[in-house]
Amino acid sequence: MTKIDSITVDIIENALKNIKEEMDVTLFRSAMSPVIREQHDCFPMITDAEGKMVVGNFGSHIPEVTNQFPEGMHEGDVIFVSDPYSCGGSVSHVNDWMIILPIFHQKKLVGYSSMFGHVIDVGGPVPSSMPVTATSIYGEGIRFPPVKLYDKGVLNEAIIKIIKANTRTPLENYSDLMALVASCRTAEKRVKELCERFGEEPYAEALDALLDRTEKMMRHLIANFLPTTPVSFEDYIDDDGLNNGPFKMKLTMWREGDNAYFDWTGTDEQAPGPINYYLSEPMFKMFIGSFLISVYDPAINFNDGFYDLLHIETPEGTLMQPKSPAALGCRTHALSRLFDVLSGVLAVNSPESSPAAGYGTSPYFIFSGIDEKDRPFNLMEVMYGGLPGRPIGDGLDGHSWWPAFVNIPTEYLETYYPLMVNSYKTGTDSGGAGKNRGGNCNEKLYTILSSGIISIHDDRAKIQPWGINGGEPGSSSSKVLIKKDGTQIPLPSKVDNVEVEKGDQILFITGGSGGYGNPLERDPEKVRLDVARGLVSKEKALKSYGVQLDGQLEVDHKETESIRAQMAKENGEPESFNFGDRDQVLVKL
């Protein structure tokens, strides 16, 4: 048999990438909850027959789940799972619903399609099912271990009844579940078409070639960019919502030949509150690969081919590998902070090659109640913040960690929920100063139009996002309840059941991000543009960048040169990492 040619491999690779995009489109057009439909909180995947991810956005969990079915997989089967402890953390809290669909061609298993998305409510004591005060997963809503939603094509109606009886949003949840299934069926149809076009064996050979290609390229990255001597880095989560904390996340990294090792030893013990993150080893390998590929060689296809080159040690009973039944609902703080820690450990020996720290969490604004027309409502909105300054340019302002996520349109919010968005903007001066500026935070002001309760999930309120290679740290997050009489009440970064009345306002400010490089090396014209656009104040332009602007916001080049020379003399050599006031904050906490 002739080895498959590279052109056919490329054609199949691009076809699979297009199928993944079609999975997303199918889901967005079918789901009902705004978190999936509008914000795109979902992750598709297509695997080979062994369950190895060939294209997708998260590490493969297929074998761990399918092995729980001794009767095996059959055409028409659809697996449903939402319990992190039953699938090795492939979904990380019970709001994430995952569908796995085996793909058969002429009665032969050729792969799997999978999709998971964040559904808006799965029961429990508070709307949207992520209680800040949860101390075990039993208090976070209903969860499903791997079960067959469809068994040889027959829908298990009992599962649907259980789902509808245990949520505040039965219609949305049912629609989202069926949309996840439809998305996977779309992939099933397209993969079968590829098998018809190229044949089963050439299709399988192409998948092997794609996995092998990525493995070879990743070996090169590891051998050329990772250190042989272990290096460590740590960052902190403010608290767990129950007045415990801060919580340290520590990662040590090294390589042996072309294999890389990552060890979470030194990370704090699991939290009493729900910030624990049950870290899936394949998913963490995906994060590592995604980071290395995006930093060093974005042309590499992203799949499971390199997983055998990565070795992970995560001590049990820690924040990153909690023991059941630890609460997991607010795990996005650790999940997002993981990227800051990974960035930091890769930067220890080469801060000039790595980005700074970002807003380091996934903020949530939750608003629920009964409107004035006696209709129940339940809004959960994912908020964004500043992405870090990078070697290649400025950080993004008010952006999600996940590239595919987008905002819920204001028109959608104001049409379907009793609130008004007064303003939505980036926060001036919130991005750390640097040769490449850190991205600014988001500032969003809501007016409440019907009484209800709100919940807030955020972090980086106490410990700033650090700057790198001479860059300054970014700003912290904050929240304020502005009563209709004008009284301002500061709110914690993690809080449930805050009562609001018609006419009250919520000011939701997320974290900024750290800057990259010496601010005195930033082009004065870029500083002038930042000031003109409201991203940087005239005062910060002078204080941090040494740029003197006149009344018309034009650069006074002679004065700027003099100021910068004096500042450079006073500042001395730039620091590799600038943690702001972290040490003082940690002492106080």
Side-chain angles (χ1 to χ4, degrees), residues 54-69:
V54 182
V55 297
N57 293 342
F58 59 97
S60 179
H61 47 267
I62 301 297
E64 186 162 5
V65 173
T66 56
N67 288 341
Q68 298 183 43
F69 295 90

Side-chain angles (χ1 to χ4, degrees), residues 152-166:
K152 298 179 181 178
V154 179
L155 175 65
N156 188 335
E157 296 283 357
I159 294 176
I160 302 300
K161 291 179 180 179
I162 293 169
I163 286 173
K164 288 183 176 180
N166 286 277

Side-chain angles (χ1 to χ4, degrees), residues 311-329:
H311 308 272
I312 314 299
E313 178 67 31
T314 311
E316 189 178 23
T318 62
L319 193 70
M320 309 301 286
Q321 193 70 216
K323 296 180 181 179
S324 177
L328 306 173

Side-chain angles (χ1 to χ4, degrees), residues 34 120-131 167-169 172 364-372 374-381 413 416-419 446-457 495-502 504 506:
I120 200 166
D121 186 278
V122 292
V126 299
S128 294
S129 310
M130 294 181 293
T167 176
R168 299 169 180 83
T169 54
E172 290 89 343
Y364 292 131
F365 172 67
I366 299 167
F367 175 40
S368 60
I370 307 293
D371 69 16
E372 295 182 335
D374 204 32
R375 297 174 301 191
F377 62 90
N378 188 3
L379 167 67
M380 196 199 83
E381 182 179 11
L413 290 173
Y416 294 102
Y417 301 97
L419 54 74
Y446 305 88
T447 294
I448 302 300
L449 301 180
S450 180
S451 297
I453 59 172
I454 65 168
S455 292
I456 289 171
H457 293 217
V495 63
D496 282 329
N497 297 321
V498 177
E499 295 184 0
V500 291
E501 303 174 287
K502 183 177 181 180
D504 290 347
I506 299 291

Side-chain angles (χ1 to χ4, degrees), residues 126-128 130-133 239-241 274 330 332-333 361-367 379-381 383 444 446 453-459 461 477-482 489-498 500 505-510:
V126 299
S128 294
M130 294 181 293
V132 169
T133 57
D239 61 85
D240 68 347
C330 305
T332 50
H333 310 306
T361 182
S362 185
Y364 292 131
F365 172 67
I366 299 167
F367 175 40
L379 167 67
M380 196 199 83
E381 182 179 11
M383 306 289 279
K444 196 164 190 175
Y446 305 88
I453 59 172
I454 65 168
S455 292
I456 289 171
H457 293 217
D458 204 357
D459 202 66
S477 64
S478 62
K479 314 290 175 290
V480 181
L481 169 60
I482 307 170
I489 305 172
L491 297 175
S493 63
K494 304 171 185 65
V495 63
D496 282 329
N497 297 321
V498 177
V500 291
Q505 293 185 314
I506 299 291
L507 177 60
F508 198 117
I509 301 176
T510 61

Side-chain angles (χ1 to χ4, degrees), residues 131-149:
V132 169
T133 57
T135 56
S136 80
I137 199 168
Y138 300 121
E140 296 180 325
I142 189 171
R143 54 188 174 131
F144 287 87
V147 293
K148 287 189 176 180
L149 179 64

Side-chain angles (χ1 to χ4, degrees), residues 309-523:
L309 305 177
L310 304 182
H311 308 272
I312 314 299
E313 178 67 31
T314 311
E316 189 178 23
T318 62
L319 193 70
M320 309 301 286
Q321 193 70 216
K323 296 180 181 179
S324 177
L328 306 173
C330 305
R331 89 285 181 235
T332 50
H333 310 306
L335 168 58
S336 300
R337 193 63 48 78
L338 177 152
F339 290 103
D340 290 339
V341 177
L342 182 58
S343 175
V345 76
L346 288 167
V348 169
N349 289 338
S350 56
E352 70 282 353
S353 301
S354 295
Y359 67 102
T361 182
S362 185
Y364 292 131
F365 172 67
I366 299 167
F367 175 40
S368 60
I370 307 293
D371 69 16
E372 295 182 335
K373 295 183 180 180
D374 204 32
R375 297 174 301 191
F377 62 90
N378 188 3
L379 167 67
M380 196 199 83
E381 182 179 11
V382 183
M383 306 289 279
Y384 309 133
L387 294 192
R390 305 161 288 165
I392 61 171
D394 293 345
L396 301 178
D397 300 307
H399 203 279
S400 171
W401 269 115
W402 308 101
F405 280 22
V406 296
N407 294 312
I408 299 179
T410 295
E411 295 82 0
Y412 185 101
L413 290 173
E414 295 182 339
T415 297
Y416 294 102
Y417 301 97
L419 54 74
M420 178 172 65
V421 178
N422 300 78
S423 63
Y424 189 25
K425 60 184 181 180
T426 61
T428 303
D429 292 342
S430 55
K435 179 180 179 180
N436 295 326
R437 180 179 55 81
N440 280 355
C441 72
N442 275 347
E443 294 184 1
K444 196 164 190 175
L445 179 64
Y446 305 88
T447 294
I448 302 300
L449 301 180
S450 180
S451 297
I453 59 172
I454 65 168
S455 292
I456 289 171
H457 293 217
D458 204 357
D459 202 66
R460 288 278 193 213
K462 302 170 185 174
I463 299 174
Q464 295 171 272
W466 39 268
I468 197 168
N469 200 34
E472 294 182 0
S475 65
S476 298
S477 64
S478 62
K479 314 290 175 290
V480 181
L481 169 60
I482 307 170
K483 300 298 292 183
K484 55 186 176 183
D485 64 2
T487 303
Q488 297 192 12
I489 305 172
L491 297 175
S493 63
K494 304 171 185 65
V495 63
D496 282 329
N497 297 321
V498 177
E499 295 184 0
V500 291
E501 303 174 287
K502 183 177 181 180
D504 290 347
Q505 293 185 314
I506 299 291
L507 177 60
F508 198 117
I509 301 176
T510 61
S513 63
Y516 171 92
N518 189 344
L520 301 181
E521 296 178 4
R522 187 169 177 81
D523 184 346

Side-chain angles (χ1 to χ4, degrees), residues 169-242:
T169 54
L171 177 60
E172 290 89 343
N173 283 25
Y174 174 75
S175 299
D176 291 349
L177 181 64
M178 292 298 110
L180 292 168
V181 174
S183 171
C184 291
R185 291 201 190 285
T186 297
E188 176 189 33
K189 178 181 178 182
R190 299 300 183 218
V191 168
K192 286 183 175 181
E193 290 173 353
L194 286 177
C195 291
E196 288 289 339
R197 178 181 176 185
F198 295 99
E200 286 176 14
E201 288 192 14
Y203 174 75
E205 287 179 31
L207 301 193
D208 289 341
L210 289 172
L211 292 166
D212 184 59
R213 180 189 292 175
T214 299
E215 189 254 4
K216 289 179 179 177
M217 298 177 82
M218 186 61 71
R219 282 186 187 275
H220 175 76
L221 285 188
I222 292 171
N224 282 275
F225 295 105
L226 299 191
T228 54
T229 301
V231 293
S232 300
F233 189 84
E234 58 192 45
D235 205 344
Y236 295 81
I237 297 171
D238 289 348
D239 61 85
D240 68 347
L242 296 175

